[in-house]
């Protein structure tokens, strides 16, 4: 078993967050007392039976869970509000949105406010504390390092410790560039404060702000004309991951690079020696490059995107890999696999890293019962294997890299599932 020495403050907080309900009850007036000194602070009261899911850690209060809102005038998007149970007793506080299906993004629960009064109902102070904790956690995980300069600093709903949330904010660090993925109105509202904290980080020279335009429209914002504050002309950056160099397009998918697959890519480098490897949906060549580094006999990567394949080929040259051992092809994945099957073409290792399997809204509708895509994927594979007269066994099941924490009370945060399967 791998043991990691985490900062004592983080360990204490993760343990404390599982305190008994009796302890919570004893300090339940903390937010109420602080709120009494604030004029015009609205209270979002939850429906009966809806409180526990948010007290347990679910970070976004959906409109269907709200019974009533107490406050005149009613709160506006971006306002700090209390979130209370049916008896109007506060369980936490967050940022309100009058348009979004998530009417409150919880920032702090009652028990955390009790332990850290400086941050209670103070978004600017909370941001400062959360950034410090995020940096400290990544440092304890060895990030960044000589071998890896690409990692996630802030992981939105799930980060740092059990009840720490910055829902709608993702920050990936690529060398000396911090890429901010914004998908909540409050993130845009506090943009200057977020950038201020990023600029205090050692070695960060540029900030790339990447708002999720379509999601922010659902939040009531139209920011199609917005530009970066200091780096709108910056388009690419070089990073290192597990000793492999990559040229990252800052205009590419998501934040530009899938740091969540770091540990899964490293596994490929460990099992590819002497193997024939196929990497389907290869994007900029992450898995394929690791296979080449691991000594694969030859590697072929398939993707339908020309810009992605240009990056992949550039990354081959960047690492001075033998081009006769690794190559890429622009092809639709389904079409390629059908053609390969018709020619009875086989590989020792086949990597499948497809785009998301379900639309965002469908995933959100499934939030009450956890994401079921991984189970569906396994059933599809079992069915395909059966049709081919083969069987599969699971050798390894994993998720995102360790800088992408998961909260057990928020299963939707476990968005990535990686299987190592043996085909028999």
């Amino acid at each position: 078993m791998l043991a990691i020495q985490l900062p004592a403050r983080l360990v204490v907080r993760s343990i404390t967050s599982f305190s008994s309900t009796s302890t919570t009850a004893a300090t339940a007036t903390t937010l109420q007392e602080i709120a009494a000194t604030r004029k015009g602070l609205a209270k979002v009261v939850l429906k009966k039976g809806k409180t526990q899911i948010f007290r347990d850690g679910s970070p976004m209060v959906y409109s269907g869970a709200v019974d009533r809102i107490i406050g005149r005038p009613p709160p506006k998007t971006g306002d700090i509000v209390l979130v209370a149970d049916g008896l109007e007793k506060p369980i936490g506080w967050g940022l309100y949105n009058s348009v979004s299906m998530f009417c409150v993004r919880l920032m702090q629960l009652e028990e955390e406010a009790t332990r850290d009064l400086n941050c209670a109902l103070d978004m600017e102070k909370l941001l400062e504390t959360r950034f410090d904790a995020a940096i400290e956690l990544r440092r304890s995980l060895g990030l960044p390092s000589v071998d890896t300069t690409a990692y996630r600093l802030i992981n939105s709903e799930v980060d740092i410790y059990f009840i720490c949330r910055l829902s709608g904010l993702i920050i990936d660090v690529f060398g000396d560039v911090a890429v901010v993925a914004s998908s909540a109105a409050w993130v845009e509202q506090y943009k200057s404060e977020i950038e201020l904290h990023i600029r205090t980080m050692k070695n960060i020279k540029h900030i790339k702000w990447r708002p999720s335009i379509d999601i922010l429209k659902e939040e009531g914002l139209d920011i199609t004309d917005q530009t970066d504050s200091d780096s709108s002309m910056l388009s690419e950056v070089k990073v290192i991951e597990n000793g492999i160099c990559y040229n990252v397009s800052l205009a590419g998918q998501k934040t530009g690079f899938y740091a969540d697959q770091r540990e899964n890519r490293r596994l490929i480098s460990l099992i590819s020696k002497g193997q024939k490897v196929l990497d389907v949906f290869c994007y900029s060549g992450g898995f394929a490059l690791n296979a080449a580094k691991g000594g694969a006999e030859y590697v072929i990567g398939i993707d339908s995107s020309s810009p992605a394949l240009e990056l992949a080929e550039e990354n081959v040259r960047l690492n001075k890999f033998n081009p006769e051992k690794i190559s890429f092809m622009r092809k639709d994945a389904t079409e390629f696999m059908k053609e390969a099957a018709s020619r009875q073409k086989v590989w020792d290792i086949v990597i499948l890293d497809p785009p998301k399997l379900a639309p965002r809204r469908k995933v959100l509708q499934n939030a009450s019962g956890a994401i079921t895509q991984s189970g569906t994927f396994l059933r599809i594979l079992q069915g395909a294997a059966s049709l081919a007269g083969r069987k599969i066994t699971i050798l390894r099941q994993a998720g995102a890299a360790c800088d992408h924490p998961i909260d057990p009370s928020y299963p939707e945060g476990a968005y990535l599932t990686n299987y190592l399967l043996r085909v028999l």
Side-chain angles (χ1 to χ4, degrees):
M1 178 169 58
L2 178 64
I4 299 176
Q5 182 65 43
L6 293 178
R9 179 164 61 89
L10 300 187
V11 175
V12 170
R13 291 194 179 199
S14 67
I15 294 172
T16 306
S17 64
F18 288 94
S19 59
S20 66
T21 54
S22 61
T23 300
T24 302
T27 58
T29 59
T30 301
L31 281 177
Q32 190 71 64
E33 291 173 354
I34 298 173
T37 65
R38 307 284 184 91
K39 290 185 178 181
L41 193 66
K43 183 181 291 185
V44 176
V45 182
L46 301 172
K47 291 179 179 177
K48 182 179 180 181
K50 298 294 184 181
T51 301
Q52 196 60 44
I53 184 175
F54 304 111
R55 183 174 278 140
D56 285 344
S58 186
M60 295 180 287
V61 178
Y62 52 94
S63 56
V66 176
D67 181 66
R68 61 192 183 278
I69 298 176
I70 301 173
R72 289 291 181 270
K76 306 183 298 298
T77 294
D79 284 354
I80 291 175
V81 296
L82 291 175
V83 176
D85 62 18
L87 299 176
E88 300 182 13
K89 177 180 173 181
I91 68 164
W93 66 273
L95 297 168
Y96 184 74
N97 191 306
S98 61
V99 178
S100 173
M101 64 184 294
F102 302 117
C103 61
V104 182
R105 293 184 186 253
L106 280 163
M107 292 293 151
Q108 213 181 24
L109 294 182
E110 170 71 33
E111 59 187 65
E112 187 191 359
T114 301
R115 293 195 307 271
D116 193 356
L117 295 175
N118 289 331
C119 295
L121 302 176
D122 187 333
M123 194 59 200
E124 293 182 9
K125 184 64 177 177
L126 186 78
L127 279 171
E128 179 183 352
T129 301
R130 298 277 164 88
F131 264 85
D132 289 345
I135 293 169
E136 184 180 351
L137 175 60
R138 272 62 185 186
R139 186 179 297 120
S140 74
L141 296 172
L143 297 168
S145 69
V146 174
D147 291 332
T148 297
T149 60
Y151 64 97
R152 177 150 295 181
L153 175 66
I154 299 289
N155 195 39
S156 192
E157 285 82 13
V158 184
D159 212 321
I160 307 169
Y161 44 88
F162 180 64
I163 51 178
C164 182
R165 302 285 183 267
L166 289 174
S167 177
L169 173 63
I170 286 175
I171 302 178
D172 282 344
V173 175
F174 303 139
D176 63 359
V177 179
V179 181
V180 182
S182 163
S183 60
W186 78 264
V187 177
E188 296 298 317
Q189 179 182 350
Y190 287 91
K191 179 177 179 179
S192 60
E193 288 84 357
I194 291 168
E195 291 185 335
L196 176 65
H197 292 300
I198 293 174
R199 293 184 200 283
T200 64
M201 294 177 60
K202 184 179 179 181
N203 299 327
I204 298 297
K205 298 178 180 178
H206 306 281
I207 299 173
K208 188 73 174 178
W209 196 273
R210 296 193 61 174
S212 301
I213 303 298
D214 292 339
I215 297 177
L216 287 171
K217 283 182 179 178
E218 297 176 9
E219 292 270 308
L221 296 182
D222 187 355
I223 54 172
T224 52
D225 296 329
Q226 179 175 305
T227 59
D228 291 329
S229 58
D230 76 341
S231 58
S232 58
M233 300 304 293
L234 190 66
S235 60
E236 292 184 348
V237 61
K238 287 183 174 58
V239 302
I240 303 172
E241 182 192 79
N242 296 327
I244 297 177
C245 297
Y246 295 86
N247 204 26
V248 173
S249 170
L250 298 179
Q253 299 173 16
K254 301 290 182 154
T255 59
F257 187 74
Y258 292 93
D260 53 0
Q261 291 277 24
R262 179 175 59 251
E263 291 157 18
N264 299 321
R265 285 191 284 258
R266 183 175 180 275
L267 172 69
I268 293 299
S269 72
L270 298 177
I271 64 174
S272 293
K273 187 173 183 178
Q275 304 294 298
K276 302 180 182 77
V277 180
L278 172 66
D279 182 6
V280 186
F281 308 103
C282 67
Y283 188 44
S284 59
F287 283 102
L289 292 166
N290 275 271
K293 181 186 178 184
E297 181 178 330
Y298 72 83
V299 186
I300 181 170
I302 306 297
D303 204 281
S304 60
S305 168
S306 294
L309 293 179
E310 289 173 6
L311 273 177
E313 290 169 351
E314 185 176 346
N315 290 333
V316 170
R317 294 190 291 271
L318 194 61
N319 290 277
K320 299 181 180 179
F321 289 149
N322 185 347
E324 295 181 0
K325 295 279 190 176
I326 177 171
S327 61
F328 298 93
M329 180 186 299
R330 184 175 181 273
K331 195 85 172 180
D332 175 79
T334 301
E335 181 182 336
F336 175 84
M337 296 300 284
K338 286 181 178 178
E339 291 177 0
S342 67
R343 300 196 313 268
Q344 296 185 326
K345 184 72 174 177
V346 296
W347 289 267
D348 300 309
I349 298 175
V350 177
I351 302 158
L352 297 169
D353 185 19
K356 60 183 180 182
L357 301 177
R360 175 176 174 269
R361 190 166 293 276
K362 182 178 179 180
V363 171
L364 290 175
Q365 289 171 350
N366 193 34
S368 62
I371 305 301
T372 60
Q373 288 188 22
S374 60
T376 301
F377 180 63
L378 277 180
R379 287 193 293 274
I380 292 172
L381 283 178
Q382 288 172 333
S386 179
L387 288 173
R390 309 292 289 272
K391 291 185 178 182
I392 58 174
T393 58
I394 300 174
L395 302 182
R396 174 183 182 264
Q397 180 176 342
C402 60
D403 51 342
H404 295 62
I406 296 173
D407 184 340
S409 69
Y410 185 63
E412 294 84 1
Y415 65 92
L416 177 65
T417 304
N418 179 281
Y419 292 102
L420 177 62
L421 302 175
R422 184 186 183 199
V423 181
L424 303 172

